Amino acid sequence: MAESVVLDAMIKRDDFAITSTAPSSGEPIKTLSIETLSSSGMLVPLLRKPDFQRETNHWSPAQVVSFLESFLDNELIPSIILWRSTQFVFVIDGGHRLSALRAWIDDDYGDGPNSIGYYSNEINNAQKRIANKARALVELKIGKYSLLRDALIKPENHPEQRVVRARNMATRSLSLQWVEGDADKAETSFFKINTQGTPLDDAEETLLRNRNRSIAIAARSIIRAATGHKYWSKFLDDNRTKIEASAKKLHSLFFNPEINQPIKTLDLPLGGTRSPIQSLDMLMNLISLTNAEQGTIRRPLSEFPEDPDGSETVKVLETCSRVAARLTGTGPGSLGLHPAVYFYTERGRHLPDLLLGFLLLCRNKLQSNDPAFFRKFTENREKIENFLIENKAIITQALQIVRSKNRVEKVSDLFNYLIQSYAEGKNPTDNEIIAVIAPNSVSKILSITQGADGERFSDDAKSAIFIRQALKNAMKCPICHGYLDPAKSGSYDHVVRVQDGGKGGDSNGQITHPYCNTAMKN
């Protein structure tokens, strides 16, 4: 997926359903000039996006530049569609267009003053990098907004194309259309418009239509670590505090540190990229899975209640945290799974199905009150991890054959099969693993070896080389001999237990998995 510029801070969000009738007095404006969109413009304080609308982050730097060039060269631009409540003017269609103009005016492509305040000064490196890329491309192809303003005043100091564009900018305006009616009419118009042209994808439309349910609020709180627009701002104070604390913890657990390609560290995030575009669907599935009843795979969206005060969202996040704490973290039950071993391909690509599948298995064992499972896993962990590392390519290819809606369950079956097989003294084979994931598909699995595309190493090849060599020298737990991820799940353990006279000097210490320290050793 192309890297996208984060423009979400350019237009604020609000709930347009609070006031259900639009004002009838006054003739609405028909056009919008660029000066109206400056920070000093009178319309900007009134301008809002519906709070359920997807984030304004679907344009690449090239698309931002292309739109600005179209605006400055007097090319055709579709009308902006607005709806007016008694308090605000809501953008029904055209949010990216208006945001791109505001970003150019304020020189804020996701890393400027508006964005810093919007995201509570927590802007990740990927967002900063893409913002700088967009800024550099705009300056190369067009120039800063301030530069074009100067070209109006001192045309003799600028090239002819810039002067022409500056004059077009001064006289150009965007055509406006207005939705008439109440908030329900405005929402219906939004969905009609946004399922045509460049439509919402299935995950986005699902989230927006279920925006008041606890699952959607929880997913949105996690993806931005409780920064950006606070969809829970109207909840009770105590619930708001709990939601933000849980969201920040889960965000850190799944998305820290940031991932870069090619991979040059084994300190990888469990959940892969933190991009809202790519990760919201995974989070919705993760929450649905961890909050499901025993005997089911996922909890249907319809069973997540609408949440007027935040209490249901708090419950959803707490349940998700309890299950996730078995995978990573420093809690006593944490298995401290190493992401590179369990949740990434041999070429360093994150596979959400691997993460969700292991979560499903843990959830099932917790619900069935089967603590022996975790001990059984730990006793055979070294063999399981060696098998995963050696057969990751086969596992990945087998999963590609399986229908997407069944992959999580198949991954759960895979991990369970490996654990049970090694516990029984068996050594699983390649064919057996393929049969577990995709029955009757052994002949369909393609060759593991993939030919190089050229003389230079691709990012995937570089990542594969690094992971292969780094795992050879990675830390292992001295108790179970499985791989350690000390940045997330290291536990300091007395080699000689305190109750046996062991002291706290460094010579009597070792780093282990939290579960190995608390459950296996004791």
Side-chain angles (χ1 to χ4, degrees):
M1 180 174 290
E3 294 179 321
S4 301
V5 187
V6 180
L7 304 175
D8 207 44
M10 297 301 102
I11 301 174
K12 295 180 179 179
R13 295 177 183 272
D14 221 301
D15 181 0
F16 69 14
I18 292 177
T19 52
S20 60
T21 57
S24 57
S25 61
E27 182 70 18
I29 59 175
K30 301 297 185 184
T31 61
L32 197 64
S33 69
I34 193 167
E35 283 200 346
T36 312
L37 294 173
S38 67
S39 297
S40 58
M42 288 188 292
L43 183 62
V44 169
L46 299 178
L47 209 56
R48 292 292 188 274
K49 292 177 294 193
D51 63 351
F52 58 80
Q53 192 174 23
R54 63 182 174 184
E55 287 199 18
T56 313
N57 58 5
H58 287 249
W59 280 11
S60 67
Q63 287 174 298
V64 171
V65 169
S66 177
F67 168 74
L68 292 176
E69 287 178 328
S70 294
F71 179 81
L72 295 171
D73 293 338
N74 277 338
E75 295 176 357
L76 180 65
I77 294 175
S79 297
I80 307 296
I81 301 178
L82 306 175
W83 175 75
R84 185 180 176 189
S85 74
T86 54
Q87 293 177 289
F88 301 115
V89 174
F90 286 90
V91 182
I92 302 301
D93 185 54
H96 271 87
R97 282 164 271 163
L98 296 182
S99 296
L101 286 170
R102 291 222 61 231
W104 183 49
I105 294 168
D106 290 350
D107 192 31
D108 185 348
Y109 300 94
D111 63 347
N114 295 321
S115 297
I116 290 171
Y118 188 68
Y119 293 116
S120 304
N121 204 29
E122 295 185 13
I123 297 176
N124 61 61
N125 291 331
Q127 184 169 325
K128 293 177 182 177
R129 176 173 51 79
I130 297 169
N132 283 325
K133 184 176 179 180
R135 182 177 293 106
L137 192 60
V138 168
E139 292 179 7
L140 175 66
K141 298 285 189 178
I142 298 170
K144 289 186 176 181
Y145 173 72
S146 59
L147 193 66
L148 267 76
R149 284 185 62 88
D150 187 70
L152 280 174
I153 302 169
K154 302 174 182 177
E156 65 277 8
N157 295 337
H158 298 270
E160 181 180 355
Q161 184 190 37
R162 185 178 300 152
V163 174
V164 171
R165 283 178 164 176
R167 289 169 178 164
N168 288 341
M169 177 181 73
T171 57
R172 179 77 194 263
S173 61
L174 295 172
S175 175
L176 301 180
Q177 294 183 17
W178 293 83
V179 173
E180 300 293 339
D182 59 14
D184 290 338
K185 178 67 178 296
E187 181 174 340
T188 300
S189 299
F190 169 83
F191 279 106
K192 282 184 178 179
I193 292 166
N194 285 279
T195 51
Q196 301 170 6
T198 304
L200 302 164
D201 63 33
D202 290 343
E204 287 177 320
E205 185 171 357
T206 298
L207 183 142
L208 298 186
R209 291 191 182 277
N210 292 276
R211 62 188 180 274
N212 294 321
R213 298 184 188 274
S214 54
I215 182 174
I217 300 168
R220 281 176 147 174
S221 70
I222 297 170
I223 195 64
R224 282 291 185 183
T227 66
H229 181 73
K230 299 185 184 297
Y231 299 92
W232 51 93
S233 61
K234 297 179 178 64
F235 291 161
L236 301 173
D237 289 346
D238 185 50
N239 288 339
R240 283 206 309 267
T241 300
K242 290 178 179 178
I243 288 169
E244 292 182 5
S246 292
K248 289 176 181 177
K249 179 179 178 181
L250 285 165
H251 178 92
S252 178
L253 187 154
F254 288 117
F255 300 116
N256 284 343
E258 292 183 53
I259 187 171
N260 295 300
Q261 295 290 345
I263 288 172
K264 297 180 181 179
T265 176
L266 288 181
D267 187 15
L268 301 172
L270 270 71
T273 176
R274 65 179 65 182
S275 163
I277 298 175
Q278 300 178 48
S279 299
L280 270 173
D281 186 45
M282 185 200 75
L283 286 174
M284 294 277 280
N285 278 307
L286 188 150
I287 294 167
S288 175
L289 182 152
T290 54
N291 283 268
E293 297 293 332
Q294 187 171 357
T296 62
I297 305 299
R298 294 176 176 83
R299 183 180 179 184
L301 276 173
S302 59
E303 292 185 7
F304 286 89
E306 295 201 356
D307 193 3
D309 61 9
S311 58
E312 292 296 330
T313 303
V314 169
K315 291 178 185 177
V316 163
L317 289 169
E318 288 178 345
T319 301
C320 184
S321 295
R322 282 196 298 272
V323 179
R326 279 290 183 173
L327 270 61
T328 191
T330 56
S334 170
L335 299 172
L337 301 183
H338 199 299
V341 176
Y342 289 89
F343 310 131
Y344 286 76
T345 70
E346 79 284 1
R347 301 174 75 80
R349 295 291 177 177
H350 182 262
L351 283 186
D353 293 323
L354 293 175
L355 171 63
L356 296 173
F358 206 102
L359 273 170
L360 173 61
L361 182 60
C362 287
R363 189 212 74 192
N364 287 340
K365 298 303 180 181
L366 289 170
Q367 288 180 337
S368 61
N369 193 25
D370 184 10
F373 164 81
F374 297 100
R375 176 173 288 272
K376 195 183 302 181
F377 164 76
T378 302
E379 289 171 346
N380 296 281
R381 181 167 182 161
E382 183 179 18
K383 296 177 183 177
I384 294 168
E385 292 184 350
N386 288 339
F387 184 93
L388 290 173
I389 293 170
E390 292 171 6
N391 295 279
K392 192 68 69 70
I394 291 177
I395 293 169
T396 302
Q397 292 179 51
L399 285 172
Q400 291 175 351
I401 295 176
V402 180
R403 294 176 63 186
S404 58
K405 69 176 185 178
N406 297 328
R407 286 175 189 161
V408 171
E409 188 175 5
K410 290 299 182 181
V411 169
S412 178
D413 292 342
L414 165 66
F415 283 123
N416 192 52
Y417 182 83
L418 289 174
I419 295 166
Q420 297 298 334
S421 294
Y422 283 117
E424 295 170 5
K426 302 175 183 177
N427 292 312
T429 66
D430 298 351
N431 287 354
E432 289 173 348
I433 290 305
I434 294 172
V436 170
I437 300 172
N440 303 318
S441 299
V442 174
S443 61
K444 295 181 182 179
I445 301 300
L446 303 177
S447 172
I448 299 174
T449 304
Q450 297 183 10
D453 294 327
E455 295 179 354
R456 296 182 179 275
F457 292 119
S458 66
D459 282 353
D460 279 356
K462 291 177 182 177
S463 295
I465 293 167
F466 176 85
I467 291 173
R468 184 181 68 241
Q469 292 187 211
L471 283 176
K472 291 179 181 178
N473 301 308
M475 290 179 63
K476 290 192 174 185
C477 174
I479 295 176
C480 75
H481 307 293
Y483 285 93
L484 273 171
D485 186 11
K488 302 182 186 70
S489 301
S491 178
Y492 289 90
D493 171 48
H494 290 80
V495 177
V496 179
R497 300 184 306 174
V498 173
Q499 53 265 50
D500 295 330
K503 302 300 181 182
D506 64 274
S507 61
N508 189 43
Q510 59 184 3
I511 301 178
T512 71
H513 298 118
Y515 179 81
C516 292
N517 187 359
T518 58
M520 297 300 292
K521 186 171 180 178
N522 296 326

